Amino acid sequence: MIVTRRHLVVGAAAVASVSAAKAQNLVAQNLVATSAQDLGPFYPIVRPTDHDADLTRVKGRDGVAMGQPINVIGRIVDLHGNPVSNAQIDIWQCNAAGRYAHPGDTANPAALDPNFQGFARLASDRDGQFKFRSVKPKDYDTPIGRRTPHIHYSIDGHSERLVTQMYFPGEPLNDIDFLLKNAAPKQSVIAEAIDRLSGDPQALAFRWTVVLGVG
Ligand SMILES: [Fe+2]
């Protein structure tokens, strides 16, 4: 066979395109699954009837939850970066004083906040995204150590349930938290601080991408 210049050009283009596809694939496969974390003892025994995406208000009450408001923008993807749509996302957290609305949270003398919802059940949209508004949870003591601020998650993907916790960047207790130190990789469970959302300037804003190992 006589190799013409055109053969070489086409051949080089094919190699380049295969290499690009391989590289893209490698990048896609390089996503690391979000670390699982303990369920903890405070998943609600009875889920509240109001479980919408605004945890700072409780239906039927006029008050607003105490504490620093936050917006969390989340996204759920698989290891290839494909969105996981219609995942069921349960979140629960302590209030701004470090207290859970749970009968088992007897160690903490802090008061309950009747205007704090404490739990939400959300669904990811077609792009895998979800969003909620809450208040920043406080750190709290446990018999085996102080917990850094975190929000608990239980995520039902299409064929996998991930129970984990989301942490906040730059928290002094992140370095010593006895559960966060077991996260692998640790960075997979720490949200990123982002600009406050226009229209909600009082609330701090965070972004977190959850990578499901199976989807
Ligand atoms: Fe907790």
Side-chain angles (χ1 to χ4, degrees), residues 131-179:
K131 179 185 167 193
F132 63 89
R133 190 173 194 274
S134 188
V135 294
K136 179 117 180 283
K138 189 173 165 16
D139 49 291
Y140 60 86
D141 274 325
T142 80
I144 49 173
R146 194 159 185 85
R147 295 300 324 275
T148 194
H150 59 276
I151 296 177
H152 294 263
Y153 285 70
S154 177
I155 299 169
D156 285 0
H158 299 161
S159 50
E160 174 186 356
R161 170 172 293 167
L162 174 67
V163 173
T164 188
Q165 302 182 28
M166 185 199 90
Y167 298 85
F168 296 85
E171 293 291 331
L173 290 170
N174 282 358
D175 291 334
I176 57 167
D177 186 281
F178 60 91
L179 289 180

Side-chain angles (χ1 to χ4, degrees), residues 7-150:
H7 276 120
L8 287 173
V9 170
V10 170
V15 168
S17 121
V18 168
S19 301
K22 272 188 181 164
Q24 205 169 25
N25 210 20
L26 280 177
V27 169
Q29 288 178 351
N30 265 349
L31 287 182
V32 175
T34 300
S35 182
Q37 288 265 276
D38 285 21
L39 178 72
F42 300 133
Y43 182 89
I45 289 175
V46 179
R47 289 189 297 273
T49 49
D50 181 10
H51 52 253
D52 68 3
D54 184 358
L55 288 79
T56 68
R57 289 178 176 274
V58 173
K59 279 193 183 78
R61 299 187 63 90
D62 292 331
V64 177
M66 292 180 296
Q68 169 63 56
I70 59 171
N71 281 301
V72 176
I73 312 288
R75 187 156 188 255
I76 303 176
V77 299
D78 65 18
L79 285 174
H80 306 290
N82 302 312
V84 177
S85 61
N86 205 31
Q88 178 180 281
I89 304 149
D90 283 357
I91 58 168
W92 65 103
Q93 62 167 95
C94 64
N95 65 25
R99 175 82 188 270
Y100 284 87
H102 189 288
D105 190 7
T106 53
N108 192 332
L112 286 170
D113 180 351
N115 297 313
F116 181 54
Q117 191 174 288
F119 171 89
R121 175 164 283 182
L122 314 170
S124 58
D125 68 15
R126 57 185 300 170
D127 293 320
Q129 302 198 67
F130 64 91
K131 179 185 167 193
F132 63 89
R133 190 173 194 274
S134 188
V135 294
K136 179 117 180 283
K138 189 173 165 16
D139 49 291
Y140 60 86
D141 274 325
T142 80
I144 49 173
R146 194 159 185 85
R147 295 300 324 275
T148 194
H150 59 276

